[in-house]
């Protein structure tokens, strides 16, 4: 006997269409990330070319050049300023986005959050297991297990922009939420597993600075960048000297911003700051980090050596096979054992394409590589593995998604059609609730 199909009100739609407000926020955020992804791709190519030409010595000299304030413990190389300093802007935006998703976004509803969270957790655990297995089999170093865990949303969107695909908002929302949960996992891993020594005085000072940040922002409602930028720099400096990775300061400050509002049309402080800072993160911070981290040797002998190193093999297998199996398997299991159902307009091949796209690690993977290994040879091989694994995942994902592009374009045109030119997509004015699954589900939950 066949069981009846669940009604829209009794199940969650996998890759279902978000609400109009969520789609607007999603479009604004992903537009910036897509442009940033293009700049990121360009920066990575420049780094690779620069590091593999007769000018490679200049690249090494610039990357290793030290400057700063030694008296404050801040005499860093250009490479470390990029990874420990400038990249904090990226994690600041990640902190705001995480706070928003948990407070007013899709992650606040357990039914909607379960699918991407399960997919993301499996997409972090399985790649780590692949790395451990490959490294153990070859007698490699185990501390790089977290390298293949992350998904680089900017790089992924840059790849999608290059091939010109039109992913519908449901898939884009799933991919963005997946990346946000990935970022949260990476933040926790960096804070817990890659903090070797802790200076409690500096750490206490950073926490006190964060408390002051919170009081000024929430309790006293102080405005003005001239207050928060100097305070943020002090918090960052104390966090760096504490032994905790300095980018955690950016996450913490972003998470402290208010993202909820009393009026439906009001823009929160967090959203306003995110709108201002995201272009700086996507167009400057991440590309600069890539410029001084992606410059590795890619000669035939160097690549051959990379494929022989257990650590590098573990990274590549984790990104390519581990990410795919983790995200696809986690999504399938969540749909199999919950009331979630795949959007009827899509197929499991679409999930496979997104799962493959999640294998683009790049930014956070390169950062964790620098934290995990101290030996330059192992670090270079692992970085090369990140590049190779991300490139392979991107190529396969492009093929899988491009095959379905006609379907995606039709769905995208339906979502954005506005024949009466009133600024509101026609689909959001359709009286049939089945055409608006997210709003219908929310009304059902609130009744």
């Amino acid at each position: 006997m066949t069981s009846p199909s669940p009604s829209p009100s009794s199940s969650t739609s996998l890759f279902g269409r978000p609400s109009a407000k969520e789609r607007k926020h999603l479009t604004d955020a992903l537009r910036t990330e897509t442009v940033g992804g293009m700049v990121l791709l360009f920066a990575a190519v420049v780094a690779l070319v620069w590091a593999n030409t007769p000018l490679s010595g200049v690249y090494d000299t610039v990357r290793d050049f030290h400057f700063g304030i030694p008296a404050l413990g801040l005499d860093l190389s250009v490479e470390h300023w990029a990874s420990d300093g400038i990249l904090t802007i990226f994690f600041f935006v990640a902190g705001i986005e995480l706070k928003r998703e948990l407070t007013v976004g899709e992650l606040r509803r357990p039914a909607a959050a379960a699918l991407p969270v399960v997919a993301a957790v499996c997409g972090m655990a399985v790649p780590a297991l692949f790395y451990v297995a490959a490294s153990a089999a070859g007698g490699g170093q185990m501390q790089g297990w977290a390298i293949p865990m992350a998904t680089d949303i900017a790089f992924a969107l840059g790849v999608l922009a290059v091939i010109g695909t039109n992913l519908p908002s449901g898939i884009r929302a799933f991919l963005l939420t997946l990346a946000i949960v990935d970022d949260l996992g990476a933040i926790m891993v960096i804070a817990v597993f890659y903090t070797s020594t802790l200076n409690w005085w500096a750490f206490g000072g950073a926490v006190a600075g964060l408390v002051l940040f919170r009081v000024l922002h929430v309790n006293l409602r102080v405005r003005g960048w001239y207050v928060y930028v100097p305070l943020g720099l002090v918090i960052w400096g104390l966090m760096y000297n504490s032994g905790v990775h300095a980018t955690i300061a950016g996450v913490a400050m972003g998470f402290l911003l208010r993202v909820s509002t009393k009026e439906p049309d009001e823009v929160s402080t967090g959203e306003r700051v995110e709108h201002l800072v995201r272009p700086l993160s996507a167009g400057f911070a991440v590309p600069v980090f890539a410029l001084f981290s992606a410059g590795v040797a890619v000669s035939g002998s160097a690549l051959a050596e990379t494929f022989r190193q257990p650590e590098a093999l573990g990274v590549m297998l984790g990104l390519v096979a581990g990410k795919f199996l983790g995200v696809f398997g986690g999504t399938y299991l969540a749909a199999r054992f919950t009331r979630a159902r795949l959007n009827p307009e899509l197929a499991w091949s679409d999930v496979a394409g997104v799962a493959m796209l999640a294998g683009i690690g790049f930014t956070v993977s390169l950062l964790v590589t620098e934290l995990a290994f101290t030996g330059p040879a192992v670090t270079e091989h692992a970085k090369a593995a990140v590049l190779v694994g991300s490139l392979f995942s991107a190529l396969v994902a492009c093929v899988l998604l491009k095959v379905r592009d006609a379907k995606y374009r039709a769905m995208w045109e339906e979502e954005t059609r506005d024949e009466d030119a009133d600024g509101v997509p026609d689909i959001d004015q359709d009286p049939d609730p089945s055409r608006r699954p997210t709003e219908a589900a929310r009304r059902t939950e609130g009744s």
Side-chain angles (χ1 to χ4, degrees):
M1 181 177 178
T2 304
S3 59
S5 300
S7 64
S9 63
S10 63
S11 63
T12 300
S13 177
L14 173 58
F15 293 169
R17 184 183 303 113
S19 66
K21 182 178 180 181
E22 286 297 314
R23 290 207 309 275
K24 183 179 184 303
H25 174 80
L26 184 69
T27 300
D28 293 341
L30 294 187
R31 183 185 298 114
T32 303
E33 292 292 350
T34 299
V35 175
M38 300 288 286
V39 180
L40 173 60
L41 288 172
F42 178 76
V45 171
V46 169
L48 285 170
V49 172
W50 193 0
N52 289 275
T53 63
L55 295 176
S56 59
V58 178
Y59 179 83
D60 292 335
T61 300
V62 173
R63 183 176 60 180
D64 298 335
F65 178 75
H66 278 64
F67 67 97
I69 309 175
L72 298 179
L74 297 175
D75 184 22
L76 310 178
S77 67
V78 170
E79 182 181 17
H80 281 132
W81 276 115
S83 62
D84 292 22
I86 296 175
L87 200 61
T88 302
I89 301 172
F90 164 80
F91 280 96
F92 174 69
V93 173
I96 299 174
E97 190 65 38
L98 178 62
K99 175 72 172 290
R100 182 189 176 280
E101 286 295 314
L102 291 172
T103 306
V104 298
E106 292 298 302
L107 291 181
R108 83 185 193 282
R109 300 189 301 123
L115 285 165
V117 168
V118 170
V121 170
C122 292
M124 290 185 285
V126 177
L129 292 175
F130 265 80
Y131 176 91
V132 170
S135 190
Q141 301 180 41
M142 292 295 179
Q143 62 265 36
W145 58 271
I147 296 173
M149 289 175 57
T151 295
D152 193 319
I153 184 66
F155 202 116
L157 292 172
V159 170
L160 293 178
V162 169
I163 66 172
T165 190
N166 298 272
L167 292 184
S169 61
I171 294 181
R172 289 174 180 265
F174 181 87
L175 184 60
L176 180 60
T177 306
L178 189 76
I180 290 171
V181 178
D182 264 6
D183 286 342
L184 174 60
I187 291 163
M188 295 174 63
V189 166
I190 291 172
V192 175
F193 295 99
Y194 293 106
T195 299
S196 55
T197 58
L198 189 63
N199 182 326
W200 286 102
W201 287 106
F203 183 73
V207 172
L210 290 170
V211 171
L212 178 60
F213 185 100
R214 171 74 176 180
V215 170
L216 290 173
H217 175 61
V218 177
N219 299 98
L220 302 181
R221 300 294 179 96
V222 174
R223 297 193 175 192
W225 62 268
Y226 46 85
V227 174
Y228 294 103
V229 170
L231 177 59
L233 291 174
V234 171
I235 294 171
W236 175 87
L238 289 168
M239 190 70 76
Y240 176 83
N241 281 284
S242 73
V244 177
H245 199 267
T247 54
I248 301 299
V251 177
M253 286 184 283
F255 201 80
L256 290 177
L257 292 180
R258 289 187 300 108
V259 296
S260 58
T261 60
K262 294 181 179 180
E263 299 295 332
D265 298 327
E266 184 183 352
V267 178
S268 68
T269 303
E271 287 182 283
R272 185 168 62 251
V273 171
E274 180 188 358
H275 180 74
L276 293 172
V277 178
R278 186 182 287 276
L280 182 63
S281 168
F284 173 72
V286 175
V288 168
F289 168 76
L291 180 63
F292 293 107
S293 294
V296 297
V298 290
S299 63
S301 58
L303 285 177
E305 184 64 23
T306 296
F307 279 92
R308 288 194 292 266
Q309 292 292 324
E311 297 89 353
L313 280 173
V315 170
M316 285 187 284
L317 287 173
L319 286 173
V320 176
K323 268 292 182 182
F324 175 80
L325 292 175
V327 173
F328 186 88
T331 305
Y332 178 80
L333 290 175
R336 175 69 177 80
F337 294 105
T338 67
R339 293 183 298 177
R341 295 295 180 267
L342 184 64
N343 185 337
E345 296 182 284
L346 298 173
W348 282 102
S349 59
D350 301 307
V351 182
V354 174
M356 206 71 228
L357 199 64
I360 302 176
F362 206 73
T363 303
V364 177
S365 293
L366 290 176
L367 175 61
V368 176
T369 299
E370 295 178 356
L371 298 175
F373 303 119
T374 55
V378 178
T379 301
E380 291 296 298
H381 290 142
K383 283 186 176 183
V386 170
L387 298 178
V388 172
S390 296
L391 177 61
F392 185 84
S393 296
L395 292 175
V396 176
C398 285
V399 173
L400 293 174
L401 295 174
K402 194 64 178 176
V403 168
R404 296 275 290 169
D405 194 48
K407 178 65 176 179
Y408 299 153
R409 186 180 294 109
M411 294 178 65
W412 180 256
E413 289 174 352
E414 182 186 9
E415 290 178 1
T416 57
R417 185 180 296 113
D418 184 15
E419 294 182 355
D420 55 3
D422 64 349
V424 180
D426 296 339
I427 199 168
D428 293 312
Q429 299 173 330
D430 196 317
D432 181 7
S434 66
R435 297 286 298 276
R436 294 175 291 168
T438 301
E439 288 90 344
R442 287 179 177 175
R443 286 198 301 271
T444 301
E445 288 182 357
S447 62

